[in-house]
Amino acid sequence: MPPVRMLSGLPDAAAHLLYYFGNLGGQYTIRLQAMIDDVPSAKRVFAREVEMAKGFTETLDNGIHRITSGSVSPGYNLKTENWNWYYAVGGYSAWGKGTAEVYGDCYTLEMEYKVFDRYNWDAGKFVKILGQEVTDEFMGTFHKQGLAQEFDMNGSVKKTI
């Protein structure tokens, strides 16, 4: 099966792989809202970050406050949930930050939900594609030979509460 046809239906996985082989490195912005919409566990991580930000905001005194998550939340797109996002991102770190305006029992929270992952290849991992085992070591050799370049993936979604 030709490579392009094999990646049909996996737009983000294809785009990330092509970016890797484009040898560009640097920063790559993922379609985070699409990932949240497509992957149930990603939607849960997002909802949990929103709930934590709301809960923290409700403890604040009157005024304007800049807030940031105290730690990152791990996320992982399972293959059983969505093949596209499993191959495109897999595991990632998520957090929120924003501005909270508190007045009595009311507040407005301008929140930005952010994710980060490194598109790289870890020893000991592999995937099966069309029955063929493809190891991370094999994919990483293209980077080591200068034929591809690993890169940072970032994404953000803004929400007003």
Side-chain angles (χ1 to χ4, degrees), residues 133-144:
E133 186 175 288
V134 179
T135 67
D136 273 26
E137 288 89 350
F138 172 75
M139 292 300 294
T141 60
F142 294 103
H143 174 80
K144 291 175 185 173

Side-chain angles (χ1 to χ4, degrees), residues 119-151:
Y119 193 90
N120 61 351
W121 310 99
D122 304 317
K125 292 183 179 178
F126 69 91
V127 296
K128 283 203 174 203
I129 301 175
L130 299 175
Q132 179 68 41
E133 186 175 288
V134 179
T135 67
D136 273 26
E137 288 89 350
F138 172 75
M139 292 300 294
T141 60
F142 294 103
H143 174 80
K144 291 175 185 173
Q145 294 171 359
L147 301 172
Q149 191 167 350
E150 297 175 352
F151 56 94

Side-chain angles (χ1 to χ4, degrees), residues 55-77:
F56 181 73
T57 299
E58 291 166 2
T59 70
L60 297 173
D61 293 330
N62 287 343
I64 298 173
H65 308 271
R66 299 279 306 145
I67 65 170
T68 302
S69 296
S71 61
V72 298
S73 294
Y76 195 86
N77 301 316

Side-chain angles (χ1 to χ4, degrees), residues 30-50:
I30 68 167
R31 297 181 324 119
L32 181 56
Q33 186 62 60
M35 187 175 90
I36 293 166
D37 292 342
D38 295 346
V39 184
S41 65
K43 187 176 295 217
R44 286 191 299 274
V45 173
F46 172 67
R48 186 171 58 243
E49 281 294 323
V50 169

Side-chain angles (χ1 to χ4, degrees), residues 105-123:
D105 292 339
C106 299
Y107 66 85
T108 301
L109 174 60
E110 298 287 336
M111 181 179 169
E112 184 175 15
Y113 174 72
K114 302 173 82 61
V115 302
F116 171 82
D117 188 34
R118 178 94 176 137
Y119 193 90
N120 61 351
W121 310 99
D122 304 317

